[in-house]
Amino acid sequence: MEHDALSTRVIRMALKEVSGSLYNFEKDHIYDIINIQRGSTGKVIMLPNGIRVLNNYGKINLYIIEGEEEGKNEIEYKLMPNSKNKLKDMGLNISLKVINNKDEFNLAENKLVKYFDYDKINGDIKLRFRRNGDKFSPLGMKGSKKLKDLFIDLKIPKDRRDNIPLVVFGNEIGWIVGYRVSDKFKVEKSSKNILQIKIEREEKN
């Protein structure tokens, strides 16, 4: 109870800071924010005064939406191989390491560690969000399909789709983080150089 009381005070302060006042906010809205923090990453709820609340890997982000969210689909981060890329505004550390196919690794390690054929990658490696016209080639599928249609197939709610990170190789989506990897960059027996991408939530000091 004491923890929830403290959380309530902190949330009220954050809402007032973002919105300018606590007008229209009720006790149920505070509990909604507490519950979303305990839920799964990527979950989004809308509150009065245009406030959107996002669970970003356990870190709660509050921000104002004025009409349509502008510029989100233009945000992108360049990721450098053989280094840890710190995306402070997202609270993420993304490590990229090129390894030899002879090294031991587990292709099914977990949802936030994936492997790709490095020699098939052309252009910069970036992390971004979905854009109009995006297409994707799911592992095991020949050809591609619209990313929008894949999200529908995966039953991902509309309010989560804009917040799912995409790892892009050049102009091709290689990984829908937390969901699918691309058939175009899959590791095969003939692959020589393997790119390991590992995503971690940034630890707080």
Side-chain angles (χ1 to χ4, degrees):
M1 291 295 293
E2 184 178 342
H3 176 72
D4 282 352
L6 177 60
S7 298
T8 297
R9 288 198 294 272
V10 172
I11 290 169
R12 286 172 63 85
M13 290 172 60
L15 286 171
K16 187 174 182 179
E17 179 72 21
V18 174
S19 183
S21 76
L22 293 174
Y23 182 71
N24 283 334
F25 295 110
E26 300 176 359
K27 191 175 294 184
D28 286 346
H29 296 132
I30 304 296
Y31 292 142
D32 286 342
I33 296 174
I34 292 174
N35 288 333
I36 195 178
Q37 195 277 333
R38 295 168 178 168
S40 58
T41 188
K43 189 172 183 180
V44 177
I45 58 172
M46 293 297 296
L47 297 182
N49 303 349
I51 299 293
R52 174 177 282 187
V53 184
L54 165 68
N55 180 336
N56 184 14
Y57 294 90
K59 180 179 179 182
I60 296 302
N61 295 344
L62 281 73
Y63 47 99
I64 295 179
I65 304 300
E66 298 179 356
E68 293 295 321
E69 188 175 7
E70 297 180 359
K72 182 68 177 283
N73 62 354
E74 297 302 320
I75 296 173
E76 62 180 29
Y77 306 86
K78 186 174 181 180
L79 305 176
M80 302 303 296
N82 294 318
S83 64
K84 179 178 283 191
N85 300 265
K86 296 184 178 182
L87 311 185
K88 289 189 175 181
D89 53 340
M90 290 187 66
L92 298 178
N93 290 327
I94 305 180
S95 300
L96 279 68
K97 182 168 70 172
V98 180
I99 60 179
N100 192 281
N101 199 2
K102 295 179 181 178
D103 297 335
E104 290 187 9
F105 57 89
N106 180 7
L107 288 174
E109 191 163 353
N110 67 53
K111 286 187 176 181
L112 297 181
V113 180
K114 295 299 176 185
Y115 297 87
F116 307 88
D117 188 324
Y118 188 60
D119 296 317
K120 295 177 182 177
I121 296 172
N122 293 306
D124 291 333
I125 302 171
K126 297 179 181 180
L127 183 139
R128 65 169 175 82
F129 301 92
R130 71 168 179 162
R131 297 174 181 170
N132 289 335
D134 272 342
K135 292 185 178 182
F136 182 70
S137 300
L139 188 65
M141 175 182 170
K142 298 301 179 183
S144 61
K145 66 188 307 177
K146 292 181 180 179
L147 186 60
K148 178 182 178 181
D149 292 339
L150 182 63
F151 282 163
I152 292 172
D153 292 345
L154 294 173
K155 298 181 180 180
I156 299 172
K158 286 184 179 181
D159 59 4
R160 290 180 56 189
R161 297 173 191 172
D162 288 335
N163 297 298
I164 296 174
L166 307 173
V167 175
V168 180
F169 304 135
N171 295 316
E172 299 268 5
I173 298 174
W175 182 14
I176 303 171
V177 177
Y179 292 94
R180 295 286 188 274
V181 294
S182 171
D183 193 79
K184 293 185 178 181
F185 304 96
K186 66 182 177 183
V187 174
E188 302 175 285
K189 289 184 178 180
S190 59
S191 300
K192 294 181 179 179
N193 297 300
I194 311 300
L195 175 65
Q196 180 199 65
I197 303 181
K198 183 177 183 180
I199 297 181
E200 300 172 295
R201 190 172 67 192
E202 189 173 26
E203 294 183 4
K204 296 181 180 179
N205 295 325

